[in-house]
Amino acid sequence: MTLYDWPRAAGFGRVIPKNKIYEHAGANTSLKDLFVREVDQIVWSHKLAPETVNLAATKQVAEMQVFRITPRTATLDHDVLRAIDKAIPFPLIFEVAHGGRVRLAAAYKRPSEADGSRWVVGDYFQGDWLPEDAPRAPLPVALNMGALYERLLEPLVAGQTARLATGLGEAPQTHFTPAEAERPVSLEERIAQAEAIKAQAREVGRIKARLGREKQFNKRVAINAELRAAKQELERLTAGTAATAVANSQEDNHG
């Protein structure tokens, strides 16, 4: 995971009052209280647009915004990020900074097919915490704004999925066919894979909890069989993630 050296020309540096987010996100009392408890400052730090990064706009991504959030603790509720996403009608990349460390966070955000004035926001993906003074990399090479957005999101999706699989002791396997490894996979497919792994991991956790509570031998045998099947499905999903990583790595190398 890396941090990016946002172009100087894209600098915006405007502090956003919380009440502006409340106003545009239609915040209720509970959400306002969440902001008060968890958020110290919100800065609209950079505007990534055709005129600031020299890339053409696309239908889905005319421009992107970078928001730097300073939370009061290292744990920031995703409802805070979702409210800001709801308030700002562009794709967002967040830098969350706390205690001398910073991490990237973002959700895949696209215009609604049913209503182009509304936005659909998916699940949030987070990078690793890095020192505030860690070296920053240039923006990824991309042909247009849409491709740049995907390049910024891809490592967040891949990194969080890998951490989840590793944390479960289910490191991605590599038993996939050459054809699977050669087919480039879209960002939407990668996100769908990540969400499927997350859901299946929850299912494995639920079955383990049931097994831990059950005392009757016969029922434990049945639950163990269910657990094995659930773990096999999780392994299948993580194998697909490994194939995706190889395919996109090969695409990058040939690009």
Side-chain angles (χ1 to χ4, degrees):
M1 198 60 237
T2 188
L3 300 174
Y4 295 106
D5 185 13
W6 308 111
R8 185 171 299 179
F12 199 57
R14 182 175 299 174
V15 176
I16 303 298
K18 296 175 190 176
N19 66 322
K20 291 296 184 183
I21 301 297
Y22 304 158
E23 179 184 335
H24 291 281
N28 57 24
T29 301
S30 176
L31 184 59
K32 292 177 182 178
D33 290 344
L34 182 65
F35 268 77
V36 170
R37 288 196 310 271
E38 297 202 357
V39 179
D40 185 31
Q41 188 181 63
I42 304 168
V43 177
W44 191 334
S45 67
H46 292 82
K47 175 180 178 178
L48 307 181
E51 64 272 19
T52 64
V53 296
N54 296 317
L55 292 175
T58 62
K59 183 177 180 180
Q60 287 200 330
V61 185
E63 58 185 66
M64 286 174 279
Q65 316 302 331
V66 180
F67 272 60
R68 186 176 175 89
I69 313 297
T70 306
R72 299 188 189 281
T73 68
T75 303
L76 181 65
D77 194 302
H78 285 175
D79 284 345
V80 169
L81 303 183
R82 193 168 297 279
I84 299 172
D85 256 315
K86 186 176 180 180
I88 306 298
F90 295 103
L92 302 184
I93 304 292
F94 294 98
E95 282 195 355
V96 180
H98 180 266
R101 301 181 302 164
V102 62
R103 75 192 315 178
L104 295 180
Y108 181 54
K109 185 176 181 180
R110 60 175 177 80
S112 168
E113 295 178 0
D115 181 355
S117 66
R118 300 178 65 86
W119 291 81
V120 178
V121 181
D123 288 345
Y124 283 88
F125 297 92
Q126 297 183 137
D128 295 319
W129 284 109
L130 295 171
E132 184 75 64
D133 59 357
R136 288 180 174 255
L139 290 183
V141 175
L143 296 177
N144 53 47
M145 293 298 299
L148 177 62
Y149 183 44
E150 293 198 359
R151 288 298 180 94
L152 292 173
L153 284 181
E154 281 168 357
L156 293 177
V157 176
Q160 183 163 308
T161 303
R163 287 196 302 274
L164 176 61
T166 302
L168 291 163
E170 306 288 350
Q173 306 296 309
T174 55
H175 46 278
F176 45 84
T177 67
E180 289 174 322
E182 291 173 3
R183 183 180 71 86
V185 182
S186 70
L187 177 63
E188 288 90 342
E189 288 177 285
R190 299 178 85 173
I191 290 173
Q193 288 175 345
E195 291 174 348
I197 288 172
K198 186 177 180 180
Q200 189 63 22
R202 285 198 297 264
E203 178 64 14
V204 168
R206 281 194 290 266
I207 297 171
K208 284 182 176 178
R210 281 172 49 210
L211 182 63
R213 293 191 300 268
E214 185 56 60
K215 303 302 180 185
Q216 294 186 29
F217 176 76
N218 288 344
K219 290 184 178 180
R220 285 181 64 85
V221 170
I223 295 172
N224 259 315
E226 189 179 345
L227 181 58
R228 281 195 301 273
K231 284 185 172 182
Q232 287 172 355
E233 175 61 11
L234 183 57
E235 288 177 3
R236 185 190 69 78
L237 292 169
T238 55
T241 301
T244 295
V246 170
N248 284 278
S249 174
Q250 290 176 345
E251 184 186 26
D252 288 345
N253 292 337
H254 288 97

